């Protein structure tokens, strides 16, 4: 059984990341996390032995099967899904387009979909493009611009008997907001609508459970949680059986294989499994199955990151020359801000000179930043913490932003 609450030994954790030797403050986690040595080693080792395509009767083909099965099992453990419902692909965006096209075959003109302005464009644009092609009605869930919240009560009116799908994020990679996805999903399921949840940004920061969220489709990106550039779609295998994606004629018709087009990067699948093992081992007190260890370790990550973020968020909000966007009650350790008399690119450049890695722009949250009104001046600067960041680094961040006066 899992041992319950545990703590992170951050000094030990930092020793797992060769990239931290550069002395910079890596506050760019939302754009892609650093990679631990165990993941580097797993990918390298996979490339040192023969790996053929799947379906053969010889050893190198069997290795390919093992790598696919290992990655699917790892992703399933991460979110409480079934390995037979895990679709692997090049990235979350490509997989969203694939499922959008497959679902569109079941929809008709006059059907409705609901999207949110809080979301990354990868969970907006594929649905809008399908809606435009089919003549679907699009309903928008709006963000409270002052708080950055996505109120769940608005879905009482947005969701109707014609709603076929609700797309919503589990966490904003721009301002950190974690909406009440389960409440939104419950409203969608009342009318038989499907729920697509973008969990790419949420996965590195807290325990996830696909059923607790109410997600029919859960989308993930391994590079967000210290893995390689591989995307994953998690759904119930029975739901995938109802969908027929575009595929090549000789390609497998089995689920989930029929959703995976082209030759896969088997060596990166080794890295996916290793990255989930990394997360499961973050808390040394965690015991039990990998799924149980993941829940314990990710809970410890959430507590640790909350302490760091409270320090960072409070300090930045006290600065007269800084405007932090939104103030969500439930958040990941992520924020975006603007600086008086500096464009975001100028501010990010000055931070880089201070040894801080930070992104500027709209972070593919175009709808959100349009609503807030910052895109005309270049968007914002984003800081995002990970489990390898420290209090000392947060203080360096604070000093660097203070120097932007």
């Amino acid at each position: 059984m899992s041992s319950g609450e545990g703590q992170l030994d951050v000094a030990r954790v930092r020793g797992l990341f060769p990239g931290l030797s550069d002395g910079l403050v890596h506050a760019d986690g939302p754009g892609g996390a650093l990679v631990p040595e165990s993941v580097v080693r797993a990918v390298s080792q996979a490339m040192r032995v023969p790996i053929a395509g799947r379906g053969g009767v010889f050893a190198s083909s069997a290795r390919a099967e093992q790598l696919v099965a290992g990655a699917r099992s790892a992703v399933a453990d991460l979110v409480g899904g079934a390995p037979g419902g895990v679709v692997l692909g090049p990235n979350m965006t490509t997989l969203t387009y694939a499922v959008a096209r497959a679902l569109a075959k079941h929809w008709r003109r006059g059907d409705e979909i609901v999207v949110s302005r809080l979301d990354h464009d990868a969970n907006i644009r594929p649905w809008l493009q399908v809606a435009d092609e089919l003549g679907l009605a699009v309903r928008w869930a709006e963000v409270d611009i002052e708080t950055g919240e996505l109120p769940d009560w608005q879905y009482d009116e947005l969701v109707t008997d014609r709603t076929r799908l609700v797309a919503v994020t589990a966490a904003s990679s721009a301002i950190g907001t974690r909406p009440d996805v389960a409440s939104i999903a419950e409203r969608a399921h009342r009318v038989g609508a499907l729920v697509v949840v973008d969990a790419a940004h949420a996965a590195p920061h807290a325990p996830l459970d696909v059923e607790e969220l109410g997600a029919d489709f859960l989308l993930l990106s391994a590079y967000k949680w210290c893995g390689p550039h591989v995307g994953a779609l998690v759904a119930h295998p029975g739901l995938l059986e109802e969908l027929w994606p575009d595929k090549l004629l000789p390609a497998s018709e089995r689920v989930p294989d029929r959703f995976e087009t082209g030759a896969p990067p088997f060596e990166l699948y080794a890295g996916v499994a290793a990255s989930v093992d990394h997360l499961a081992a973050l808390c040394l007190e965690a015991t039990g199955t990998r799924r149980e260890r993941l829940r314990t370790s990710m809970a410890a990550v959430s507590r640790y990151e909350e302490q760091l973020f409270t320090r960072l968020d409070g300090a930045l909000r006290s600065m007269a020359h800084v405007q932090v966007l939104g103030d969500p009650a439930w958040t990941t350790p992520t924020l975006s801000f603007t600086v008086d008399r500096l464009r975001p690119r100028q501010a990010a450049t000055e931070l880089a000179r201070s040894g801080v890695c930070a992104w500027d722009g709209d972070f593919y949250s175009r709808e959100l930043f349009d609503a807030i009104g910052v895109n005309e001046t270049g968007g914002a600067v984003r800081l995002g913490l990970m489990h390898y960041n420290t209090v000392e680094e947060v203080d360096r961040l604070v000093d660097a932003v203070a120097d932007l006066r």
Side-chain angles (χ1 to χ4, degrees), residues 65-400:
E65 296 285 2
Q66 291 168 359
L67 290 172
V68 172
R72 287 177 178 165
S73 178
V75 172
D77 282 347
L78 181 64
V79 299
V86 175
V87 178
L88 301 172
N91 51 66
M92 174 264 183
T93 301
T94 298
L95 290 172
T96 306
Y97 270 111
V99 75
R101 288 192 295 266
L103 285 170
K105 297 175 183 180
H106 296 262
W107 295 339
R108 299 292 180 268
R109 179 177 295 275
D111 288 344
E112 298 176 356
I113 61 173
V114 181
V115 294
S116 102
R117 295 202 194 276
L118 184 65
D119 274 71
H120 187 287
D121 207 57
N123 203 27
I124 296 177
R125 211 58 46 187
W127 308 114
L128 297 191
Q129 290 165 352
V130 163
D132 185 60
E133 293 170 7
L134 298 180
L136 309 181
V138 178
R139 292 171 172 261
W140 285 91
E142 303 291 349
V143 178
D144 183 314
I145 301 306
E146 296 298 321
T147 66
E149 302 279 3
L150 184 72
D152 59 346
W153 50 259
Q154 65 185 306
Y155 286 85
D156 288 333
E157 294 186 359
L158 292 171
V159 174
T160 75
D161 290 340
R162 299 303 304 272
T163 303
R164 298 295 173 259
L165 177 134
V166 174
V168 65
T169 186
S172 166
S173 62
I175 61 174
T177 307
R178 295 182 64 187
D180 191 344
V181 173
S183 177
I184 294 168
E186 195 276 331
R187 288 169 166 84
H189 289 153
R190 285 180 204 164
V191 299
L194 294 170
V195 178
V196 176
V197 177
D198 172 8
H201 183 61
H205 302 296
L208 289 181
D209 189 290
V210 62
E211 291 191 9
E212 290 176 4
L213 287 171
D216 297 294
F217 299 96
L218 191 74
L219 289 147
L220 302 155
S221 295
Y223 79 99
K224 299 276 193 167
W225 72 68
C226 307
H229 282 77
V230 174
L233 166 69
V234 182
H236 191 283
L239 179 56
L240 295 180
E241 290 284 0
E242 299 175 8
L243 302 178
W244 284 93
D246 297 332
K247 58 178 282 297
L248 302 182
L249 184 60
S252 174
E253 295 190 352
R254 296 176 301 178
V255 165
D257 295 344
R258 68 179 180 227
F259 289 86
E260 299 174 351
T261 56
F266 295 116
E267 68 281 2
L268 298 187
Y269 290 178
V272 170
S275 66
V276 174
D277 286 336
H278 162 77
L279 295 181
L282 284 173
C283 178
L284 292 177
E285 298 137 316
T287 59
T289 66
R290 181 166 59 185
R291 173 63 178 160
E292 291 169 334
R293 287 182 284 116
L294 279 164
R295 292 186 74 96
T296 299
S297 287
M298 294 312 297
V301 165
S302 182
R303 290 190 298 273
Y304 174 71
E305 291 179 346
E306 183 180 6
Q307 294 172 358
L308 291 185
F309 185 68
T310 298
R311 188 183 187 97
L312 174 65
D313 187 59
L316 265 59
R317 290 183 188 276
S318 70
M319 298 180 186
H321 65 295
V322 170
Q323 177 63 51
V324 179
L325 305 183
D327 189 13
W330 196 27
T331 183
T332 59
T334 307
L335 58 76
S336 291
F337 64 94
T338 58
V339 181
D340 289 349
R341 294 184 296 279
L342 284 181
R343 283 184 168 267
R345 176 52 58 97
Q346 294 173 307
T349 300
E350 291 301 318
L351 290 175
R353 290 182 179 136
S354 298
V356 172
C357 303
W359 280 104
D360 65 282
D362 66 14
F363 324 118
Y364 284 80
S365 294
R366 181 69 55 83
E367 297 289 342
L368 173 63
F369 278 11
D370 276 347
I372 294 175
V374 295
N375 271 333
E376 292 183 359
T377 54
V381 178
R382 180 179 65 186
L383 299 175
L385 304 177
M386 293 289 295
H387 56 266
Y388 46 71
N389 290 121
T390 65
V391 170
E392 292 75 18
E393 288 182 328
V394 167
D395 291 342
R396 283 181 62 186
L397 287 174
V398 170
D399 289 343

